[in-house]
Amino acid sequence: MLARHLWNHLTTSVVRRGVGATLGALALVAAFVLAGTAAGTTSAAAKPAGWGGPGKWACGGAPVQSGWVITLYDRTGCSGNGAWYQEPVKDGIWTCSGSPIVPGYVISDHIQSGCNGIGSWRHSLPKDGIWTCGGSPVISGYVITDYIVNGCNGVGAWRHNLARNGLWTCPGSPIPAGWRASTYSAGGCSGLGAWALVRA
């Protein structure tokens, strides 16, 4: 009914006002048709895409299967309760705050504004000399050897190294089996103090 009314208005405009009014009326009809089309789209089409992997959207509180992480957050999903995109972990993937940390991985970076404003953390496979964020797990066989108070975008960063003779380890560093802490240096670990690692 509204479309017919607009069409009648268009033909009347042609007679009364000429080309300018006709173009204006055509624009109005086009806007009406486009608005109707947009209203008919599904809410799924409006959802942000995932990483392109074999992921899935889930409502808040849904379990995350072993080996998977949460990578995106949609505030409007799940009827306004929020939806989380889950996918398999991989080296270097950015995860949302609250995502599980998959065993065997460390947290190597942080973006406060990531994941739609709730913060993002990078999952990385460990390697000798990697810097990790405060709160990251320490993988078996590694020790903590240095500290930067402003690292990891203000969270604090800790360097992880594979255990070897003569490394200086920070307070709270795990001491792997077969090793022990020996000589102490007050200035080690950026002033926190450090202990030399030696074979047990």
Side-chain angles (χ1 to χ4, degrees):
M1 188 70 172
L2 182 55
R4 179 176 292 182
H5 174 73
L6 290 172
W7 179 252
N8 289 339
H9 178 71
L10 168 64
T11 54
T12 304
S13 296
V14 171
V15 176
R16 291 187 183 168
R17 298 182 190 154
V19 177
T22 302
L23 292 176
L26 280 172
L28 185 60
V29 170
F32 171 76
V33 172
L34 289 175
T37 303
T41 59
T42 64
S43 59
K47 298 264 186 239
W51 279 74
K56 62 183 180 182
W57 284 98
C59 295
V64 180
Q65 69 187 73
S66 178
W68 284 45
V69 290
I70 298 170
T71 58
L72 292 172
Y73 173 53
D74 177 10
R75 296 177 190 279
T76 62
C78 292
S79 302
N81 294 316
W84 305 85
Y85 193 74
Q86 302 178 8
E87 62 182 299
V89 70
K90 59 185 174 185
D91 189 27
I93 197 170
W94 285 94
T95 66
C96 297
S97 292
S99 174
I101 300 173
V102 175
Y105 282 79
V106 294
I107 303 302
S108 60
D109 206 355
H110 172 59
I111 299 175
Q112 193 169 13
S113 61
C115 202
N116 207 0
I118 64 171
S120 291
W121 302 85
R122 179 182 282 163
H123 259 64
S124 297
L125 289 170
K127 59 185 177 184
D128 193 35
I130 193 170
W131 285 92
T132 68
C133 299
S136 172
V138 182
I139 304 303
S140 178
Y142 283 80
V143 291
I144 301 171
T145 59
D146 206 356
Y147 172 65
I148 300 174
V149 66
N150 293 322
C152 206
N153 286 310
V155 176
W158 302 85
R159 186 167 59 204
H160 291 208
N161 287 100
L162 286 167
R164 60 181 173 268
N165 203 52
L167 279 180
W168 291 93
T169 62
C170 297
S173 173
I175 304 298
W179 298 89
R180 65 181 177 85
S182 63
T183 309
Y184 174 72
S185 170
C189 198
S190 297
L192 297 179
W195 290 263
L197 192 67
V198 295
R199 287 283 183 187

